């Protein structure tokens, strides 16, 4: 056994050697050379055996036979709830649609200065050598930087990439762009675009990514649990780092607890079914009205906590004036709400009383804030919870993250590993300071405005009290995301995508986004490289080694290598890599945790032993963390522990927002009619479309695996249709259906069901966009990509979040023969 220090020394020696050796000025990848030099140490591949790795969908045990992954399964069992995503790793690695080689779109290769942008997505691909591709990207990026400056280069590159703190493609892209002159970035995300901007005004924190009142407390104290627009049995399959899988365990306990559980959702979710919960099905986008009807009910019945409202909240009286229609003469009572949300008055009142009379925990998901005026639902939910007055009490109040990344699973007392960074930790030796960071993402706009930004350079956008000017983007570099799956109104995005001169994408597969690029760099899966991650974004439960399981497929390269080689073309290789190989970075990230443990009286192995063991390190939660109650400090002493809002209290009325003077987001929670909904006059289409997160995918990830066979209907992406609606349209279970509106059309396979509110249809996000005719405008998507139909409008001027759950569509039975899918094959 070699001593780790020896190895570290030899790393340094090798690195120093390479900096001095002239032949390395060629494109030869130094990072890989370094890696191969140390591979005898511990990075050699397993030929036959088992390798532990991790994905967003948890720790996985991979069985390897003759250097091939032949089986993928959960590494551990935490509950009886099965995670369908964990079994398809081999399908991903050996997918038919892997990008094998660097590819350049023919017209772009012919003349990058006049690249026939209209042909994007419908041109021939030409294979080029890796060296040539690197040189081409570097040359064209330099050209854009010279002609258009930092503002011309977009690298916002939103997306869910793969797990791993080292090979974090988006961060690596940003690091590279920062080192070479900056880039246009984005702010916010698609997940909680509205809530993460409004919540700081209301609660002083973003709230959506915060630890929740601990599950043991909920199980002990809550009498009623309301799952409001959430589907944790689906959404807890994954986490941003890697799921710790304990959320399922607690939902199992919740089921057994016998508590009253209510699911409020237009769809009777698998969570609702599993928990045997009561199902309340509002019309999409109308929850705010229902909550207002509840508050009115409680005020009339004198069932509210006056002292909570006066001591802990700000501006309730002004909201009350609105509720009672002081100005608009509309009293927002249960009868009023009932007409909007489609829940009868009696039920609204009954629920309001039930919530007040019992210790009630509202667990809300994010689907309802991904809608026009999406700022309102959570603001109104906080208002309802304030009226009830249980915020900060064990098992009471609200939580906006029980459905995500195992919120509520107690935080462990452990150490946290480091990770690749885009903008810090650059040795002063290279920069004489951090001046090279200054241009980093100085120009950023709200992430879901991408199509608007590309189409309207120079346009000024209102955003949370500020003005943002869209830059003129001429170069896009995208890694680790799939905008042609995730962005709303894809047909408009296609138009917008024609604006820039150059589009580069690093991808593993021929996704719709890769197909819309000029230069495509083949990227490794996380199973073809070494990495490290933690599990549990809130619990920090495990540190997991992610050992390379198989060799890199075809000419696929790690994003780290691609950007290292590009960095070289800009003479910033040292700055970008700090002369470290991936395994050296991984060791460093691990040691950050190791050093923390030294001060904590915890013992974890040295890196080398950890890496060799092929086992996770698991931390434990101390008792006090199992008893955590969100906002209990604030409740105990609001003077000593004020919130981060201007008043230090929960702002039901916000003077900050009042000053912004927006017509689409007022200073208190407001019922606004969405731009498309079932209750509107002159409806342009018949059905409300919701597009929740997929049960058997992570967004678009895994759509190209055999898992698809388990959920596809007549080989199409499913669409859920209410039984009566289907009957009226002559649609039967298993029929192929055309779904359409003025923005576009898709094919989907019908699931006829009573589990969906009448008038609503449901298509999960993430099916790969597969146009029938690539040359045709607004072509039919034969693989059911729902974002062909959704609307690309901001939630409001406040947050500019996406409004993907606000759309109306028509449906009809598709009587022609459904065309064969082409999207999961190699392009020509
Ligand atoms: N209609 C509708 N649309 C939505 C939503 C909705 O609810 N409804 N939800 C929105 C939300 S919340 C989100 S977060 C987005 C998600 O949108 P995305 O995050 O864009 O979706 P993913 O399918 O996860 O895309 C990740 C891509 O990264 C690639 N990838 C994985 N690992 C690597 C790597 O190591 N290197 C490189 N270069 N590439 C890699 C994968 O192959 C995949 O194509 O979708 C949004 N869109
Ligand atoms: N398996 C799996 N898990 C995931 C993901 C995935 O793609 N696959 N994505 C992850 C990511 S990035 C995110 S952001 C989260 C998303 O987490 P969420 O945003 O909470 O998930 P969604 O499925 O979009 O929405 C949750 C529920 O809201 C309901 N809903 C929609 N509109 C309304 C409404 O107007 N009123 C009410 N009451 N309910 C409504 C939907 O029917 C759905 O059941 O999930 C994460 N977890
Ligand atoms: Mo998300």
């Amino acid at each position: 056994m070699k001593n780790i220090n020896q190895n570290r020394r030899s790393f340094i020696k090798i690195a120093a050697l390479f900096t001095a050796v002239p032949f390395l000025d060629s494109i030869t990848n130094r990072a890989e050379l370094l890696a191969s030099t140390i591979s005898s140490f511990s990075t050699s591949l397993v030929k036959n055996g088992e390798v532990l790795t991790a994905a967003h969908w948890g720790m996985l045990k991979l069985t390897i036979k003759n250097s091939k992954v032949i089986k993928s399964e959960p590494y551990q069992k935490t509950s009886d709830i099965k995670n369908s995503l964990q079994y398809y790793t081999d399908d991903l690695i050996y997918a038919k649609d892997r990008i094998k080689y660097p590819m350049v779109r023919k017209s772009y290769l012919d003349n990058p200065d006049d690249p026939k942008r209209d042909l994007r997505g419908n041109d021939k691909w030409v294979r080029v050598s890796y060296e040539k591709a690197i040189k081409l990207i570097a040359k064209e990026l330099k050209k854009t930087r010279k002609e258009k400056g930092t503002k011309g280069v977009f690298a916002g590159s939103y997306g869910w990439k793969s797990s791993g703190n080292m090979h974090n493609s988006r961060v690596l892209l940003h690091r590279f762009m920062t080192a070479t002159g900056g880039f246009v970035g984005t702010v916010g995300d698609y997940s909680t675009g509205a809530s993460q901007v409004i919540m700081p005004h209301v609660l002083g924190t973003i709230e959506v990514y915060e630890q929740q009142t601990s599950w043991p407390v909920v199980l002990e104290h809550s009498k009623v649990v309301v799952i409001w627009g959430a589907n944790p049995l689906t959404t807890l399959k994954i986490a941003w780092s890697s799921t710790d899988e304990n959320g399922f365990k607690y939902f199992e306990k919740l089921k057994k607890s016998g508590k009253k559980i209510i699911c409020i959702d237009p769809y009777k979710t698998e969570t609702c079914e599993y928990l045997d919960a009561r199902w309340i099905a509002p019309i999409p986008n109308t929850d705010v009205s229902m909550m207002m009807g509840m508050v009115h009910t409680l005020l009339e019945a004198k069932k509210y906590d006056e002292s909570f409202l006066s001591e802990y909240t700000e501006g309730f009286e002004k909201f009350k004036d609105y509720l009672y229609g002081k100005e608009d003469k509309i009293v927002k009572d249960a009868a009023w709400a009932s007409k909007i949300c489609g829940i009868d008055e009696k039920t609204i009142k009954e629920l309001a009383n039930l919530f007040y009379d019992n210790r009630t925990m509202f667990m809300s998901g994010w689907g309802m804030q991904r809608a026009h005026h999406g700022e309102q639902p959570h603001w109104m939910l906080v208002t309802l919870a304030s009226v009830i007055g249980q915020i900060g009490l064990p098992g009471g109040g609200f939580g906006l993250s029980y459905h995500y990344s195992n919120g509520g699973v107690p935080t462990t007392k452990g150490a946290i590993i480091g990770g690749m960074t885009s903008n810090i930790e650059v040795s002063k030796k290279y920069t004489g300071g951090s001046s090279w960071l200054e241009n980093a993402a100085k120009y950023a706009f709200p992430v879901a405005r991408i199509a608007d930004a590309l189409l309207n350079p120079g346009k000024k956008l209102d955003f949370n009290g500020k003005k943002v000017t869209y830059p003129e983007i001429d170069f896009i570099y995208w890694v680790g995301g799939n905008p042609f799956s995730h962005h709303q109104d894809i047909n408009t995005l296609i138009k917008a995508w024609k604006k820039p001169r150059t589009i580069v994408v690093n991808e593993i597969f021929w996704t719709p986004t890769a197909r819309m690029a000029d230069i495509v760099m083949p990227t490794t899966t996380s199973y073809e490289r070494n990495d490290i991650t933690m599990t549990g974004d809130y619990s920090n439960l495990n540190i997991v080694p992610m050992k390379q399981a198989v060799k890199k497929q075809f000419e696929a390269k790690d994003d780290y290598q691609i950007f290292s080689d590009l960095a070289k073309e800009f003479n910033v290789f040292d700055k970008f890599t700090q002369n470290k190989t991936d395994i050296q970075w991984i060791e460093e990230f691990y040691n950050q945790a190791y050093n923390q443990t030294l001060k904590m009286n915890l013992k974890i192995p040295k890196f080398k032993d950890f890496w060799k063991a092929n086992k996770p390190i698991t931390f434990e939660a101390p008792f006090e963390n199992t008893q955590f109650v969100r906002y209990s400090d604030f409740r105990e002493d609001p003077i000593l522990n004020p919130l981060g809002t201007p008043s230090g209290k929960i702002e039901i009325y916000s003077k900050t927002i009042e000053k912004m003077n927006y017509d689409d987001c007022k200073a208190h929670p407001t019922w606004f009619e969405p731009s498309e909904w079932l209750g509107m006059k002159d409806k342009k289409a018949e059905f409300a479309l919701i597009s929740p997160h997929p049960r058997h995918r992570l967004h678009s990830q895994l759509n190209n695996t055999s898992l698809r066979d388990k959920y596809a209907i007549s080989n199409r992406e499913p669409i859920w249709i209410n039984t009566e609606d289907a009957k009226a349209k002559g649609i039967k279970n298993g029929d192929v259906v055309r779904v359409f509106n003025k923005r576009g059309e898709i094919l989907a396979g019908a699931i006829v069901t009573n589990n969906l509110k009448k008038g609503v249809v449901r298509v999960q996000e993430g099916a790969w966009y597969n146009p029938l005719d690539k040359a045709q405008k607004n072509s039919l998507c034969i693989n059911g990509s729902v974002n062909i139909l959704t609307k690309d409008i901001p939630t409001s001027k406040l947050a500019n979040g996406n409004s993907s759950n606000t759309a109306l569509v028509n449906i009809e039975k598709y009587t022609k023969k459904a065309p064969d899918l082409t999207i999961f094959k190699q392009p020509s």
Side-chain angles (χ1 to χ4, degrees):
M1 238 203 290
K2 267 194 217 159
N3 178 298
I4 188 89
N5 286 325
Q6 243 172 34
N7 277 295
R8 270 207 62 78
R9 263 203 308 278
S10 53
F11 287 160
I12 293 160
K13 251 192 349 229
I14 294 162
L17 190 83
F18 279 135
T19 354
V21 175
F23 76 82
L24 280 157
D25 282 334
S26 80
I27 199 85
T28 317
N29 169 40
R30 286 195 278 186
E32 191 161 77
L33 274 178
L34 285 171
S36 63
T37 319
I38 58 157
S39 63
S40 61
F41 148 65
S42 57
T43 54
S44 57
L45 298 181
V46 172
K47 236 180 151 179
N48 289 292
E50 281 167 0
V51 172
L52 162 64
T53 187
H56 292 298
W57 38 92
M59 287 195 275
L60 305 175
K61 186 169 85 182
L62 303 181
T63 306
I64 302 189
K65 209 175 156 191
N66 295 327
S67 303
K68 276 196 95 169
V69 173
I70 56 154
K71 192 172 174 195
S72 171
E73 59 197 319
Y75 179 77
Q76 58 178 6
K77 184 169 187 248
T78 47
S79 80
D80 285 329
I81 301 171
K82 190 176 160 182
N83 187 342
S84 59
L85 311 185
Q86 295 178 326
Y87 301 84
Y88 297 87
T89 307
D90 42 345
D91 274 20
L92 286 172
I93 297 170
Y94 310 116
K96 282 205 271 304
D97 57 353
R98 283 290 300 253
I99 300 169
K100 296 180 181 169
Y101 316 106
M103 291 286 202
V104 184
R105 188 168 67 79
K106 184 166 182 309
S107 312
Y108 190 92
L109 195 61
D110 291 347
N111 184 1
D113 295 317
D114 179 19
K116 300 202 178 130
R117 306 164 203 215
D118 277 346
L119 286 180
R120 278 192 189 120
N122 188 29
D123 206 342
K124 286 219 161 58
W125 289 103
V126 182
R127 180 179 167 182
V128 300
S129 70
Y130 176 73
E131 289 74 11
K132 185 164 177 179
I134 290 286
K135 295 254 187 240
L136 182 64
I137 298 170
K139 184 170 166 221
E140 299 307 324
L141 179 57
K142 282 178 186 166
K143 198 188 284 169
T144 302
R145 284 208 186 286
K146 199 163 158 228
E147 285 168 8
K148 309 272 176 177
T150 305
K151 286 187 185 177
V153 181
F154 179 79
S157 188
Y158 181 77
W160 266 70
K161 60 177 188 66
S162 293
S163 296
N165 282 27
M166 163 67 217
H167 296 284
N168 183 336
S169 52
R170 187 184 192 219
V171 168
L172 290 166
L173 168 66
H174 289 176
R175 188 180 176 87
F176 162 71
M177 285 294 179
T178 309
T180 58
F183 63 98
V184 176
T186 53
V187 289
D189 59 33
Y190 280 73
S191 315
T192 61
S195 279
Q196 64 176 263
V197 181
I198 185 77
M199 284 296 115
H201 293 296
V202 180
L203 293 162
T205 85
I206 58 168
E207 198 61 33
V208 286
Y209 304 131
E210 310 268 359
Q211 180 57 295
Q212 308 294 292
T213 291
S214 178
W215 264 112
V217 175
V218 170
L219 291 169
E220 190 181 340
H221 296 279
S222 306
K223 288 276 178 312
V224 175
V225 172
V226 184
I227 299 178
W228 203 317
N231 187 7
L233 242 70
T234 281
T235 55
L236 285 179
K237 286 180 173 178
I238 60 91
W240 178 245
S241 56
S242 173
T243 174
D244 65 39
E245 304 180 55
N246 278 278
F248 284 157
K249 183 178 86 189
Y250 286 110
F251 274 97
E252 229 168 18
K253 290 188 177 169
L254 178 64
K255 180 184 165 82
K256 288 189 191 130
S257 71
K259 292 181 198 303
K260 206 173 214 95
I261 308 169
I262 297 164
C263 290
I264 304 180
D265 197 306
Y267 177 60
K268 189 173 184 190
T269 58
E270 44 271 42
T271 307
C272 187
E273 297 251 25
Y274 171 78
L275 294 171
D276 222 350
R278 179 171 168 198
W279 178 38
I280 304 289
I283 288 171
N285 298 185
T286 67
D287 299 77
V288 169
S289 71
M290 196 194 329
M291 295 174 201
M292 285 177 177
M294 287 174 178
V295 169
H296 184 272
T297 303
L298 294 175
L299 295 184
E300 288 296 297
K302 304 256 173 320
K303 282 186 165 184
Y304 60 96
D305 189 330
E306 190 149 18
S307 63
F308 186 87
L309 286 173
S310 63
E311 231 181 302
Y312 300 98
T313 73
E314 180 71 19
F316 182 71
E317 287 305 313
K318 285 193 177 130
F319 171 75
K320 202 170 145 193
D321 287 346
Y322 166 77
L323 194 76
Y324 278 88
K326 203 171 164 192
E327 263 179 41
D328 63 7
K329 305 287 175 253
I330 299 168
V331 182
K332 283 90 185 165
D333 58 11
W336 165 85
S338 172
K339 286 195 202 98
I340 294 170
C341 70
I343 305 297
D344 63 82
E345 191 182 332
K346 207 177 119 233
T347 305
I348 297 175
K349 288 182 169 166
E350 182 214 325
L351 290 174
N353 283 299
L354 179 78
F355 300 161
Y356 182 82
D357 294 341
N358 294 280
R359 185 60 60 84
T360 298
M361 175 58 86
F362 296 109
M363 299 183 170
S364 178
W366 303 332
M368 61 182 170
Q369 59 85 57
R370 225 174 280 114
H372 196 201
H373 300 295
E375 291 83 358
Q376 305 303 319
H378 285 158
W379 197 0
M380 191 55 218
L381 185 67
V382 173
T383 304
L384 172 61
S386 297
V387 169
I388 293 170
Q390 299 177 3
I391 295 168
L393 294 180
F398 62 90
L400 306 185
S401 204
Y402 282 103
H403 70 295
Y404 178 75
S405 289
N406 308 296
V409 173
T411 304
T412 59
K413 180 175 180 280
I416 297 173
I417 59 172
M420 187 52 78
T421 54
S422 54
N423 54 9
I424 48 170
E425 291 187 339
V426 176
S427 162
K428 291 209 163 50
K429 170 170 103 190
Y430 299 113
T431 61
S434 55
S435 59
W436 65 286
L437 296 171
E438 280 169 12
N439 285 330
K442 195 157 67 182
Y443 316 99
F445 54 82
V447 65
R449 301 318 304 137
I450 174 72
D452 196 38
L454 289 170
L455 286 168
N456 303 293
K459 177 176 152 181
K460 277 197 165 57
L461 184 79
D462 281 304
F463 174 44
N464 199 18
K466 298 179 295 264
K467 296 264 184 200
V468 174
T469 308
Y470 290 145
E472 193 184 333
I473 294 164
D474 207 31
F475 191 112
I476 293 179
Y477 205 134
W478 213 295
V479 299
N482 198 356
F484 280 87
S485 172
H486 75 225
H487 190 66
Q488 289 58 59
D489 191 359
I490 288 175
N491 284 321
T492 298
L493 182 65
I494 291 173
K495 252 185 266 160
W497 209 249
K498 296 193 165 136
K499 289 273 183 155
R501 183 178 66 86
T502 306
I503 298 174
V504 187
V505 170
N506 295 0
E507 246 300 345
I508 304 165
F509 311 107
W510 280 108
T511 61
T513 302
R515 287 165 203 258
M516 294 295 283
D518 299 321
I519 305 172
V520 176
M521 299 301 277
T523 316
T524 50
T525 65
S526 55
Y527 320 104
E528 294 154 52
R529 60 202 185 204
N530 292 305
D531 214 323
I532 186 169
T533 188
M534 297 203 71
T535 72
D537 300 347
Y538 302 115
S539 65
N540 300 317
L541 194 59
N542 297 292
I543 302 179
V544 194
M546 297 169 62
K547 277 195 187 183
Q548 183 174 349
V550 292
K551 70 175 198 310
K552 300 182 199 305
Q553 303 293 298
F554 308 100
E555 281 183 22
K557 302 274 191 292
D558 302 343
D559 296 279
Y560 184 58
Q561 177 169 345
I562 294 168
F563 291 120
S564 300
D565 289 333
L566 280 171
K568 199 154 172 296
E569 296 293 312
F570 286 78
N571 293 320
V572 291
F573 178 88
D574 295 348
K575 188 148 84 176
F576 179 80
T577 63
Q578 295 190 22
N579 291 307
K580 287 187 205 120
T581 63
D582 55 357
I583 196 74
Q584 285 176 302
W585 281 109
I586 291 164
E587 181 176 7
E588 198 173 294
F589 299 153
Y590 179 87
N591 283 340
Q592 284 179 36
Y594 184 84
N595 292 336
Q596 292 161 34
T597 61
L598 295 179
K599 293 178 208 133
M600 298 169 92
N601 229 350
L602 277 172
K603 238 187 140 82
I604 65 171
K606 294 253 172 156
F607 177 71
K608 191 184 173 195
D609 298 324
F610 160 75
W611 192 253
K612 199 165 165 239
N614 198 31
K615 282 199 182 100
I617 294 170
T618 306
F619 297 113
E620 265 173 41
F623 178 73
E624 68 258 29
N625 289 1
T626 67
Q627 299 303 304
F628 173 72
V629 175
R630 189 153 181 77
Y631 291 119
S632 64
D633 293 1
F634 171 58
R635 188 168 187 121
E636 212 152 89
D637 195 335
I639 309 293
L640 224 63
N641 307 309
L643 302 185
T645 53
S647 63
K649 298 182 181 184
I650 299 171
E651 301 218 337
I652 295 173
Y653 190 95
S654 162
K655 293 210 173 89
T656 314
I657 297 177
E658 183 195 78
K659 283 195 202 105
M660 294 177 194
N661 202 19
Y662 292 154
D663 54 354
D664 53 4
C665 188
K666 303 285 187 192
H668 55 74
T670 308
W671 159 250
F672 290 102
E673 268 200 53
S675 65
E676 283 183 21
W677 71 295
L678 282 182
M680 76 192 294
K681 285 200 200 94
D682 307 320
K683 268 192 304 182
K684 296 275 188 298
E686 207 175 337
F687 297 95
L689 169 72
I690 52 172
S691 48
H693 286 238
R695 185 177 184 181
H696 298 301
R697 286 192 296 262
L698 172 56
H699 314 297
S700 75
Q701 295 187 55
L702 294 157
N703 196 202
N704 58 336
T705 66
S706 55
L707 179 54
R708 185 175 178 279
D709 303 339
K710 298 214 165 41
Y711 62 81
I713 303 290
S714 304
N715 198 25
R716 303 292 130 167
E717 183 67 14
I719 178 170
W720 281 256
I721 306 171
N722 169 279
T723 310
E724 281 177 51
D725 294 333
K727 201 169 159 208
K729 295 280 163 194
I731 294 167
K732 291 197 200 60
N733 232 346
D735 280 351
V736 176
V737 175
R738 188 174 79 99
V739 195
F740 58 100
N741 59 20
K742 63 179 179 218
R743 293 177 287 275
E745 52 178 348
I746 66 171
L747 294 186
I751 296 178
V752 175
T753 177
N754 290 325
N755 284 352
L756 188 64
K757 176 122 185 138
K758 191 170 177 308
V760 180
V761 293
R762 172 183 196 267
V763 180
Q764 300 173 122
E765 53 103 357
W768 293 17
Y769 164 62
N770 187 167
L772 177 62
D773 179 355
K774 290 181 285 189
Q776 194 200 318
K777 233 176 95 185
N778 299 354
S779 171
L780 174 73
C781 172
I782 56 180
N783 189 42
S785 175
V786 72
N787 278 324
I788 289 289
L789 304 166
T790 52
K791 217 174 166 181
D792 183 14
I793 52 162
T795 51
S796 84
K797 296 187 186 78
L798 187 93
N800 284 285
N802 75 85
S803 304
S804 46
N805 281 318
T806 298
L808 292 175
V809 295
N810 291 307
I811 55 174
E812 65 181 24
K813 189 172 159 157
Y814 190 68
T815 46
K816 288 182 240 169
K817 186 181 173 286
D820 289 341
L821 301 177
T822 53
I823 190 70
F824 304 122
K825 295 177 186 149
Q826 293 281 325
S828 62

